[in-house]
Amino acid sequence: MPDARLPSPARALRGLLLGVVLLAVQLGGAIPAAATEDDPRTWVDRMNRALAENNYDGVFVHQIGGNRETLRIIHRVRDGRMTERLVSTDGSGREFIRDGNELVAYFPDRRMVVVEKRPPRNAGFLGRLPGLDSAIRETYDVRDVERKRMQGRWVRVITVTPRDGFRYGYRLWIDEVTAMPVRTQLASLGGDVIEQISFASLTFPAIIDDEMLRPEVVTDGFKWLRRDQPG
């Protein structure tokens, strides 16, 4: 039995990223046919596809309260296979690499590497919102509230507000050209920001070499722990 005190990649990533996967709704589904290009549900759907299907290389700041961490993410899709590398640039040296259904987490501070086999995920580290179908609209109010300039880009500001007192809300700043979220926030019912991701830089390389997806951690003398996840 694995030692629960050891840092699994899942535990390490929990609280590390806002990743809109925190939205506790289990429904999926496609955008209704009635949705138009300017419908906020369409923008969220485009964002989900961009997160899953684009090549991108970005640096973002993750903030919870007064705690901030800067990370770099490299995301590649080639021949239908997703590979990602997530690196903390603030000194811990932690790296997370996902290739297909394998997730490898490097913890230099603990001289440990954790390998997990997991069901394939299309969205990657940054997650996704579920399809905003009619059932979702009964629970959340989704609105396109503003069009503005941010970091030299035109973005659409989308709010996802719960209709009850049991869920968090979201604010999404979605680039009009790439549909990537240049900023995302998790908000309380009162509108206070609980957690935020904000990209400082973001590029879309046509080709991402294998070398960019290899870890920089030297693992000589590290302990390796392997875990297989059911399903």
Side-chain angles (χ1 to χ4, degrees):
M1 178 180 297
D3 188 337
R5 294 171 297 176
L6 296 177
S8 75
R11 263 198 302 277
L13 288 171
R14 187 184 308 129
L16 176 65
L17 299 174
L18 165 60
V20 286
V21 292
L22 292 175
L23 183 59
V25 178
Q26 301 304 316
L27 299 175
I31 296 297
T36 66
E37 181 63 24
D38 287 330
D39 190 298
R41 296 166 293 159
T42 303
W43 282 105
V44 174
D45 186 54
R46 288 184 60 197
M47 180 192 75
N48 287 338
R49 294 199 306 270
L51 284 169
E53 299 171 4
N54 286 346
N55 283 355
Y56 50 88
D57 182 355
V59 174
F60 64 89
V61 177
H62 174 247
Q63 183 169 358
I64 302 178
N67 298 319
R68 296 164 56 94
E69 184 172 16
T70 303
L71 303 109
R72 181 185 181 188
I73 185 168
I74 302 169
H75 180 281
R76 182 181 74 184
V77 178
R78 186 169 67 184
D79 299 327
R81 185 184 183 92
M82 183 191 70
T83 309
E84 287 186 305
R85 178 172 170 232
L86 183 69
V87 184
S88 175
T89 65
D90 286 345
S92 72
R94 290 179 298 170
E95 296 196 36
F96 303 86
I97 296 178
R98 182 188 296 278
D99 187 5
N101 68 343
E102 182 176 81
L103 174 62
V104 184
Y106 298 84
F107 301 94
D109 54 338
R110 302 195 183 197
R111 299 183 63 79
M112 180 181 296
V113 181
V114 182
V115 182
E116 288 188 355
K117 295 289 187 180
R118 290 176 162 268
R121 290 175 51 196
N122 293 328
F125 287 129
L126 289 182
R128 59 175 288 145
L129 284 169
L132 296 176
D133 61 11
S134 58
I136 294 293
R137 296 201 309 276
E138 293 176 1
T139 311
Y140 288 88
D141 180 29
V142 185
R143 296 187 180 185
D144 184 349
V145 297
E146 187 179 7
R147 181 176 185 260
K148 64 182 296 185
R149 294 282 289 182
M150 176 182 289
Q151 300 176 3
R153 308 169 185 263
W154 281 105
V155 300
R156 304 298 283 261
V157 184
I158 308 295
T159 61
V160 183
T161 306
R163 299 183 186 274
D164 56 35
F166 305 104
R167 298 168 176 85
Y168 292 119
Y170 294 86
R171 302 187 191 109
L172 311 170
W173 285 256
I174 302 175
D175 179 21
E176 286 191 341
V177 176
T178 66
M180 286 289 289
V182 295
R183 179 185 295 170
T184 61
Q185 291 178 345
L186 177 70
S188 70
L189 292 176
D192 296 327
V193 177
I194 299 170
E195 194 171 1
Q196 174 176 282
I197 281 177
S198 183
F199 274 93
S201 65
L202 186 61
T203 60
F204 301 89
I207 297 175
I208 293 178
D209 295 331
D210 291 344
E211 188 64 29
M212 296 177 64
L213 295 163
R214 295 192 179 106
E216 295 183 354
V217 178
V218 178
T219 60
D220 295 345
F222 279 33
K223 179 179 179 180
W224 287 70
L225 176 67
R226 298 184 182 273
R227 289 172 169 159
D228 291 331
Q229 297 293 319

